[in-house]
Amino acid sequence: MTEKRQFRAIKGTRDILPPDSALWNWFEQTAREVFESYGFRDIRLPIFEETSLFARSIGADTDVVAKEMYTFEDREQFRVAHPLTMVDVIRIDEAVAEAWQHGRIPRTLANETEVLRLHEASQNIDREGTPALLCFLDSVRNLALGDSLTLRPEATASVARAYIEHGMHTQPGNVKLYYSGPMFRRERPQKGRYRQFYQVGAEALGQSDAPGIDAEVLEMLLVFFKRVGLTQTTLYVNSIGCKECRPKYVELLREELRKVKDRLGPDSQRRIDTNPLRVLDSKLPDEQPIIEKLPRISNHLCADCGEHFAKLKDELHLRGIVYEENWRLVRGLDYYTRTTFEVTAAGLGSQNAVCGGGRYDGLVELLGGPPTKGIGFAIGTDRAILSIQEGGKLPQLPGLAVFVAWMGAKSYPAAVAIARKLRECGLAVELPPEEMKFKKSLGLADKLGARYALIIGEDDVASGTFTLKRLADAEQKKLSENDLLEYLESERRGSGA
Ligand code: ATP
Ligand code: MG
């Protein structure tokens, strides 16, 4: 007997249903159009990558890597049988050594230890007997034979990986890429915070770090937000220095934080050692007056970073971009340098960041690529759409144009033919597969939100005409096929469908 049960979407994931899905498509399509007008092109990336790609780029001390990643061991490429005899032990020892040499056992530190232990134990079994055999068995069990993989928590690391893997640094000019798709983080689900959420992002990589690139990326972002009606936004910018000046500032911050350690909460206390910049992120009311008195990075930038930030502000001014400087904006990921920014939007409560981004000049090199500059951002699609919905200024999306209300078996072939022609013109058409009573048919057309009902009776087929009824005001016209197609075509252009 199979148990009867209902399935539900996993906590923190959700279905995007129609009509909302149309809003999502429109949002993503608009992003494509705006980003492409700035010379960015689509990149489609894998949803999972090697765990160490994220650990290395995002940073082991960040919340994302330390506690939010969905990590799993892949199916092993190499199997170890259970030893039964001494001959088996020798054979396994040899097979493991060979697999390790050829990279068929993932080269992690833990595996390296186990491979050595296993070999040592196999050598000692003759002399030591059972204890060495147990040690051998233990190592066999501890080997993590499958690769460690992670569902991507963000996409910048993948873009940098792809940039290196495909030698994109040889392409002319800046490499400008955008992506769109789901990301995964194990966080506490709440309004605007999900475990599977969506981002639309863009990255510009290349040899130049001219502030004009930063400003253009910000301009593109704000043009996009305006286009989708996300207008109650605030742009915050900051510079967090480079590998010359930031470490010195972080050390200074750490020293100052140690002096006030007793007055900080446990999270901030821990971060003094692990990641002092993150203390500036704190929202705890008690910590605010303390943080306000901490040294600010803007006073500790090196000359180059100071100049870069000043030029960025000039560039923003040139483009008429309104922003607020926020010295506490440090961003959660380790790879950022210099320019960092965030955009908040209305109607979202405490999850009000709809976009985060910044410069990451060392990232490509950190991942084994050539020295490369980079800047990018990621927009949280879920939150951006929530904010657009809360703002109430939703776009007029086309929806169902024509409901074909046919009556009488003889009119069915004409209905099938005209439905196909209208669809070829790009109109959304609903054709009932079975005959319906006139009233019921028009009632359904109305419920489905069709703009027109196309009424076809057997008399119409004989006379070669169609009756088109506009459902909003019940206005009705008799039209020949040509006139009908022409009329609806111009209507489609007018409605933007
Ligand atoms: P937050 O501080 O809100 O956790 P974050 O700094 O972790 O955001 P980023 O890594 O900068 O976020 O990602 C960029 C954007 O992606 C965020 O501004 C937000 O809009 C969105 N985002 C991040 N995490 C989530 C999530 N769990 N659910 C929905 N959207 C998210
Ligand atoms: Mg977060």
Side-chain angles (χ1 to χ4, degrees):
M1 279 272 286
T2 43
E3 181 201 357
K4 214 173 176 182
R5 57 166 290 207
Q6 276 197 344
F7 293 94
R8 299 184 137 266
I10 304 287
K11 187 175 159 190
T13 73
R14 59 202 184 123
D15 305 303
I16 311 294
L17 306 174
D20 284 358
S21 51
L23 193 64
W24 280 67
N25 289 342
W26 161 82
F27 181 88
E28 288 164 349
Q29 183 54 28
T30 309
R32 287 173 186 281
E33 285 165 19
V34 173
F35 296 175
E36 285 182 13
S37 76
Y38 281 81
F40 284 73
R41 292 179 298 166
D42 195 11
I43 181 167
R44 294 182 179 233
L45 300 157
I47 301 278
F48 53 89
E49 299 264 8
E50 246 181 86
T51 303
S52 47
L53 172 69
F54 300 117
R56 185 168 296 187
S57 59
I58 299 172
D61 287 339
T62 57
D63 285 350
V64 171
V65 172
K67 34 184 199 204
E68 297 173 359
M69 296 209 300
Y70 281 97
T71 296
F72 56 96
E73 193 186 329
D74 200 6
R75 285 258 294 275
E76 64 266 39
Q77 328 170 15
F78 170 79
R79 273 175 185 283
V80 182
H82 256 289
L84 299 170
T85 65
M86 200 50 215
V87 179
D88 289 337
V89 168
I90 294 166
R91 206 171 36 219
I92 290 169
D93 179 40
E94 282 170 5
V96 165
E98 204 215 312
W100 175 254
Q101 245 184 1
H102 292 96
R104 277 183 288 124
I105 296 175
R107 290 179 187 272
T108 60
L109 213 60
N111 277 344
E112 188 175 349
T113 312
E114 296 304 338
V115 168
L116 287 174
R117 231 180 114 215
L118 178 147
H119 178 65
E120 221 174 86
S122 78
Q123 304 290 301
N124 294 342
I125 287 177
D126 272 348
R127 204 162 12 94
E128 291 178 15
T130 313
L133 181 64
L134 289 176
C135 183
F136 182 85
L137 288 173
D138 196 45
S139 285
V140 167
R141 212 172 319 115
N142 287 346
L143 277 176
L145 295 175
D147 289 322
S148 178
L149 304 179
T150 293
L151 297 184
R152 63 180 188 189
E154 54 109 56
T156 304
S158 302
V159 171
R161 196 257 317 129
Y163 180 86
I164 300 166
E165 187 171 337
H166 305 289
M168 287 192 237
H169 64 281
T170 59
Q171 292 182 10
N174 266 335
V175 174
K176 301 197 272 187
L177 301 163
Y178 70 83
Y179 59 82
S180 168
M183 308 293 157
F184 305 86
R185 296 183 193 176
R186 189 185 279 106
E187 301 193 72
R188 192 167 69 78
Q190 52 197 293
K191 182 183 171 188
R193 196 178 287 289
Y194 311 97
R195 292 182 167 181
Q196 174 171 340
F197 62 100
Y198 294 78
Q199 287 184 337
V200 175
E203 317 283 354
L205 295 126
Q207 289 315 304
S208 168
D209 61 355
I213 300 174
D214 309 34
E216 194 178 73
V217 161
L218 284 167
E219 179 187 302
M220 174 171 94
L221 177 65
L222 297 183
V223 164
F224 168 58
F225 279 166
K226 193 163 171 212
R227 187 85 76 84
V228 290
L230 201 62
T231 45
Q232 280 177 281
T233 54
T234 311
L235 165 67
Y236 296 97
V237 299
N238 191 24
S239 173
I240 56 168
C242 63
K243 62 175 187 295
E244 297 301 319
C245 52
R246 183 150 63 138
K248 289 181 205 150
Y249 169 72
V250 169
E251 227 13 78
L252 176 71
L253 190 62
R254 189 173 271 140
E255 266 169 45
E256 292 302 310
L257 284 168
R258 287 209 173 108
K259 292 182 195 160
V260 292
K261 183 168 181 180
D262 298 345
R263 289 153 61 204
L264 297 171
D267 279 344
S268 292
Q269 288 198 357
R270 194 165 32 78
R271 287 178 175 146
I272 296 178
D273 293 319
T274 59
N275 203 341
L277 282 176
R278 292 297 311 283
V279 176
L280 307 182
D281 257 355
S282 158
K283 308 258 175 346
L284 286 184
D286 288 353
E287 293 184 346
Q288 301 313 307
I290 306 167
I291 294 173
E292 278 307 305
K293 293 203 196 85
L294 291 169
R296 304 185 172 200
I297 185 137
S298 54
N299 300 324
H300 299 273
L301 294 177
C302 63
D304 284 352
C305 287
E307 192 187 334
H308 191 273
F309 195 32
K311 281 199 179 143
L312 169 65
K313 288 186 272 187
D314 288 346
E315 279 268 1
L316 293 177
H317 184 70
L318 172 73
R319 292 158 198 263
I321 294 172
V322 180
Y323 65 91
E324 281 182 34
E325 225 178 300
N326 178 1
W327 72 276
R328 287 176 56 177
L329 182 69
V330 293
R331 318 267 317 114
L333 319 180
D334 269 1
Y335 53 62
Y336 284 108
T337 53
R338 291 194 170 165
T339 311
T340 52
F341 54 89
E342 191 165 279
V343 180
T344 60
L348 295 172
S350 53
Q351 266 64 249
N352 65 350
V354 286
C355 175
R359 230 176 218 293
Y360 46 83
D361 292 341
L363 178 62
V364 169
E365 216 175 340
L366 178 76
L367 295 176
T372 306
K373 318 282 190 203
I375 182 163
F377 60 75
I379 298 166
T381 306
D382 307 74
R383 289 186 200 173
I385 287 179
L386 254 173
S387 180
I388 294 170
Q389 286 172 323
E390 301 267 328
K393 277 189 259 149
L394 295 178
Q396 275 294 329
L397 297 175
L400 185 59
V402 180
F403 185 96
V404 182
W406 60 273
M407 274 142 302
K410 286 197 188 122
S411 60
Y412 187 57
V416 169
I418 194 71
R420 176 177 304 182
K421 283 183 188 154
L422 293 172
R423 284 166 173 157
E424 276 168 6
C425 295
L427 292 154
V429 176
E430 186 69 24
L431 173 73
E434 284 172 317
E435 187 167 6
M436 293 172 77
K437 291 249 159 53
F438 184 66
K439 255 186 122 171
K440 229 177 147 191
S441 191
L442 285 207
L444 182 57
D446 213 34
K447 282 188 203 139
L448 293 177
R451 292 197 294 286
Y452 294 94
L454 184 65
I455 301 160
I456 312 176
E458 292 183 344
D459 298 350
D460 298 309
V461 177
S463 67
T465 55
F466 297 90
T467 305
L468 186 69
K469 179 172 180 167
R470 185 157 63 202
L471 293 172
D473 56 7
E475 195 197 68
Q476 212 162 294
K477 299 189 206 308
K478 253 193 183 330
L479 298 164
S480 68
E481 181 177 313
N482 272 346
D483 290 349
L484 173 76
L485 290 173
E486 207 166 282
Y487 178 84
L488 285 176
E489 174 74 1
S490 70
E491 193 266 358
R492 183 183 70 86
R493 278 199 297 272
S495 76

